[in-house]
């Protein structure tokens, strides 16, 4: 049996929750007789291998015929001494074909024509770069053995024709009724054609679309949502194709940074798979069995956007894999106005897929039946190997970047050809008529019927009242808050805290933990818990995790080195020093508990953060946490923060409970690793600037906190799940505070009746009446001020109070007002921060 290579270093992590790898597919190797025949027919083997390797270079892929066909000398049989075209060869173990004779022999002429038909038609294949022998063998055998089985029956051809006619009818209808609106019709990039797919395939009501196109909102007026442009609309229908069960399809919302949706789709799909896997009693349920991801890309974006490579880099990782995604590149041979020669350095737009050894299928978009064949091959490969596969659909863009754009300004020759030719639906329709499968009356009936339907829907759009599509299914128990929400009680019984705290470091005696961890991590934690001593940051975090797990919530902790923690503080997972087996103690609290998935990620921020956002919008019962190695690492994921985390609920009514942990603080790590750029997050917050009114309501798009005690992070993490709605939480977390003896908390601070405190009151001044200066501060700088405070004379310190702002957004106006009443003689109010004035929280809090 042929199987793939195992060359990568790995943990023995297969028993850890969330560690999921595809089931192995083995493919028979050549028999001894076949190997002997290959040795005897070496020249023929070389010819066949050449077609499998470079046959794609001689394929007719361009529907516009603008690409020059190069001469490929490797495809000439004479190159290998095969000049007698009538010479017979045994093809057993060399080529999967069915000779006319019915035997295992064929002439060079037959063999050569078969190779041309398979590898140089309107579909081309690249798979010889795959290192796995089984995959290469299967791919070659499958496409060669099924090449003469690609013909569709008449019913399927009529179905193809109907879909094509309806799609063109829809675009023409939109051009007639909404000619001055950027609609991004079907022929072209990923968001181009989205409306067509939504209406015709995903059952989005045309009246809802027309209502939106007429300048109305897609949500009820009483909801605090801005909505989005029409090319970002989504739909989640259940479709019936004659099977036992309906097919549930979810098209996610898309931002204008189109490819940023790719990791979000992957994360959403992974979370859905884990949900199905957890609830499924079938032990044979394998990765990718019940869900498949499909991503549609633009050709210029696929090579130009780094998020593509980052997302592909996640595709085969055990804590990120979906069990294979189908990637469809809509290759219109132009990016906005840029031709391929200026848009990429590779031969094909799909070449970046070779980063993860993905097979690639190129297909000429002028041939719908060949497109369907390419898709069938892709799905079959994915079904067996549970890996990504790419379809490069080579087509053209009939209009400019949008319908109001003039493309011939920059591509006159291309658009002379496009405007002189028939559309793909018209070409296919003519072929169907010529073959007698449909009549002219059939085609006109489809067009007339669909046009009438659209006209009816357009008339109905005048009275259409939008309905909200959020807070359904798993989200049905949650609310969308419209008032300032109170702090929930997030305390936990001390007995429970001790239990989960002890369990967080308990391992079997046969499991050999590193001796330094035993001495400096495990034993100190057990001692502090047993003696009711103050606990550190990592312990409080474990208590938050463990208590949530006991309540049945799941947690996904993701990021670079999160299992250990950047500063070697967390140790949510232990690695056996003898076997390198991985053990996660928090998954062994009780039988009925939830599970924590410790997902050490690759060195990516943009794709990984997008992935975790996708997890967060799939289920409210999973606490997704992304921790940056250092706070500034979020810089490279800014697109996800801007277009999803800070705005997803406002645009699309999609709540997210994602937590971003960003180590922050000026402690000698240099200008980059010191700051998480908290000012950028605060700029994205939508709280009112004027906080003077007593009637100000704060229901922010996300929360931004800078906690200074272990108890505070404990309550913040628990609050994410305990309250009855979800909001993103940005935490500018500690570095030096992780082990600072002054930055500890008692279990009493986490007991029932306690909760997160947006501010921590002054505890230094001996007499509130004597205070004349109130200093506001956030984060670890507080402890520096306390140290400096202790070094000053009592005459000075008696006049100073230091108040900590633990949560910057929503701004703790009422809590601060109550605190300031303590100091009736205060005359001076100071905001103190490490950052320069145009950075940090100053510009946000100053106007409050």
């Amino acid at each position: 049996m042929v199987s793939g290579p195992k060359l990568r270093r790995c943990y023995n992590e297969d028993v850890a929750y969330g560690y999921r790898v595809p089931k192995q597919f083995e493919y028979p190797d050549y028999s001894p007789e076949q190997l002997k025949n290959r040795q005897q027919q070496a020249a023929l083997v070389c010819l066949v291998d050449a077609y499998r390797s470079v046959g794609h270079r001689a394929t007719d892929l361009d529907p516009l015929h603008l690409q020059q066909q190069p001469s490929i000398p490797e495809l000439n049989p004479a190159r290998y001494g095969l000049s007698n075209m009538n010479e017979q060869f045994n093809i057993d173990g060399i080529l999967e074909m069915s000779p006319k004779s019915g035997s295992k022999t064929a002439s060079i002429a037959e063999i050569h024509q078969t190779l041309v038909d398979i590898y140089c038609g309107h579909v081309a294949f690249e798979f010889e770069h795959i290192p796995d022998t089984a995959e290469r063998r299967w791919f070659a055998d499958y496409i060669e053995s099924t090449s003469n089985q690609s013909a569709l029956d008449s019913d399927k051809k009529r179905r193809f024709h109907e879909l094509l006619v309806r799609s063109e009818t829809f675009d023409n209808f939109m051009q007639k009724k909404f000619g001055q609106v950027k609609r991004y019709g079907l022929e072209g990039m990923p968001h181009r054609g989205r409306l067509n797919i939504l209406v015709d395939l995903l059952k989005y009501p045309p009246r809802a679309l027309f209502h939106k196109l007429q300048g109305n909102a897609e949500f009820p007026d009483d909801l605090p949502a801005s909505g989005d442009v029409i090319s970002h609309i989504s739909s989640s229908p259940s479709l019936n194709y004659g099977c036992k069960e309906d097919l549930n399809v979810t098209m996610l919302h898309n931002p204008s940074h189109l490819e940023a949706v790719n990791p979000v789709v992957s994360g959403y799909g992974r979370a859905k798979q884990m949900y199905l896997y957890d609830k499924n009693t079938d032990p044979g349920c394998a990765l990718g069995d019940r869900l498949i991801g499909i991503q549609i890309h633009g050709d210029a974006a696929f090579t130009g956007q780094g998020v593509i490579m980052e997302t592909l880099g996640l595709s085969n990782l055990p804590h990120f894999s979906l069990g294979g995604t189908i990637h469809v590149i809509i290759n219109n041979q132009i990016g906005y106005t840029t031709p391929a020669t200026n848009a990429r350095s590779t031969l094909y737009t799909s070449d970046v897929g070779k980063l993860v050894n993905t097979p690639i299928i190129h297909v000429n978009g002028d041939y719908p039946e060949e497109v369907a064949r390419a898709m069938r091959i892709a799905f079959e490969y994915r079904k067996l190997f549970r890996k990504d596969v790419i379809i490069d659909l080579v087509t053209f863009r009939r209009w400019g970047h949008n319908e109001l754009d003039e493309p011939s300004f920059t591509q006159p020759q291309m658009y002379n050809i496009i405007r002189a030719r028939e559309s793909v639906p018209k070409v296919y329709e003519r072929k169907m008529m010529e073959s007698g499968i449909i009549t002219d009356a059939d085609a006109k009936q489809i067009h007339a019927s669909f046009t009438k339907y659209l006209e009816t829907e357009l008339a109905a759009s005048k009275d259409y009242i939008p309905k909200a599509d959020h807070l359904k299914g798993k989200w049905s128990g949650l609310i969308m808050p419209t008032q300032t929400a109170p702090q929930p009680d997030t305390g936990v019984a001390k007995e429970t805290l001790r239990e989960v705290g002890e369990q967080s470091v308990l391992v079997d005696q046969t499991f050999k933990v590193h001796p330094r961890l035993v001495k400096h991590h495990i034993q100190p934690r057990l001692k502090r818990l047993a003696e009711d001593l103050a606990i550190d940051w990592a312990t409080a975090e474990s208590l938050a995790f463990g208590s949530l797990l006991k309540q049945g919530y799941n947690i996904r902790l993701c990021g670079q080195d999160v299992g250990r923690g950047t500063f070697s503080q967390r140790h949510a997972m232990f690695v056996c020093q003898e076997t390198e087996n991985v053990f996660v103690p928090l998954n062994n609290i009780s039988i009925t508990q939830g599970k924590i998935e410790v997902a050490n990620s690759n060195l990516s921020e943009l794709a990984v953060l997008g992935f975790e956002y996708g997890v967060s919008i799939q289920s409210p019962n999973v606490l997704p946490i992304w921790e940056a190695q250092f706070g500034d690492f979020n810089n490279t994921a800014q697109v996800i923060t801007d277009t999803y985390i800070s705005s997803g609920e406002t645009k699309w009514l999609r709540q997210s409970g994602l937590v971003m942990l960003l180590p922050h603080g000026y402690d000698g790590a240099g200008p980059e690793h010191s700051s998480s750029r908290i000012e950028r997050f605060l700029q994205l917050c939508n709280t009112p600037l004027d906080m003077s009114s007593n009637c100000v309501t704060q229901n922010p798009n996300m929360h931004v906190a800078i906690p200074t005690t272990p108890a505070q992070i404990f309550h913040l993490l628990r609050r994410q799940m305990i309250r009855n709605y979800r909001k993103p939480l940005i935490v500018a977390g500690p570095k030096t505070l992780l082990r600072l003896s002054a930055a500890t908390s008692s279990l009493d601070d986490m007991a029932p009746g306690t909760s997160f405190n947006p501010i921590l009151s002054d505890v230094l001044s001996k007499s509130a009446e004597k205070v004349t200066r109130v200093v506001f501060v956030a984060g670890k700088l507080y402890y520096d001020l306390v140290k400096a405070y202790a070094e000053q004379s009592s005459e000075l310190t008696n006049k100073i109070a230091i108040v900590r702002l633990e949560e910057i957004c929503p701004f703790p106006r009422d809590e601060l007002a109550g605190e300031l009443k303590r100091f009736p003689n205060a005359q001076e109010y100071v905001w103190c921060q490490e950052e320069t004035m145009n950075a940090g929280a100053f510009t946000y809090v100053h106007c409050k």
Side-chain angles (χ1 to χ4, degrees), residues 218-426:
E218 64 266 42
F219 302 124
D221 293 337
D222 60 340
L223 289 176
S226 67
D228 203 352
V229 297
I230 57 172
S231 53
H232 299 170
I233 292 173
S234 72
S235 181
S236 299
S238 292
L239 307 176
N240 190 294
Y241 289 106
C243 301
K244 291 182 180 179
E245 297 182 18
D246 287 351
L247 178 66
N248 298 316
V249 180
T250 298
M251 174 185 277
L252 295 186
H253 293 94
N254 216 102
S256 292
H257 290 274
L258 299 181
E259 301 294 341
V261 75
N262 301 328
V264 177
V265 169
S266 297
Y268 185 93
R270 168 77 182 200
K272 181 71 171 180
Q273 279 195 353
M274 292 303 295
Y275 169 77
L276 295 172
Y277 179 72
D278 288 343
K279 68 178 287 190
N280 188 13
T281 57
D282 179 10
C285 180
L287 178 64
D289 272 356
R290 305 187 66 185
L291 183 145
I292 186 169
I294 300 175
Q295 297 183 15
I296 304 176
H297 312 274
D299 54 323
F302 200 75
T303 54
Q305 294 291 304
V307 69
I308 297 291
M309 282 66 86
E310 290 193 31
T311 306
L312 287 171
L314 300 176
S315 61
N316 296 324
L317 302 182
H319 288 284
F320 295 86
S321 175
L322 288 180
T325 293
I326 306 293
H327 299 269
V328 182
I329 302 172
I330 308 301
N331 186 351
N332 57 42
Q333 308 182 68
I334 186 173
Y336 212 124
T337 64
T338 304
T341 52
N342 291 350
R344 63 177 185 263
S345 298
T346 56
L347 177 63
Y348 297 116
T349 184
S350 55
D351 282 347
V352 295
K354 295 175 183 176
L355 169 76
V356 290
N357 307 311
T358 301
I360 299 165
I361 305 171
H362 308 274
V363 59
N364 188 323
D366 249 2
Y367 300 87
E369 294 176 26
E370 295 286 39
V371 174
R373 176 182 169 228
M375 190 64 76
R376 286 197 299 273
I377 295 170
F379 271 80
E380 191 66 23
Y381 169 85
R382 185 265 175 195
K383 183 175 75 173
L384 293 177
F385 295 100
R386 304 299 165 95
K387 295 182 179 180
D388 287 22
V389 58
I390 295 173
I391 294 177
D392 176 21
L393 177 57
V394 185
T395 178
F396 57 89
R397 189 182 70 192
R398 178 164 292 279
W399 310 104
H401 184 67
N402 58 67
E403 290 81 1
L404 308 184
D405 191 25
E406 176 49 67
S408 62
F409 288 161
T410 50
Q411 276 75 36
Q413 293 183 356
M414 172 183 278
Y415 277 87
N416 284 340
I417 295 173
I418 291 173
R419 286 163 177 165
R421 58 157 289 161
E422 290 182 300
S423 67
V424 173
K426 285 290 191 291

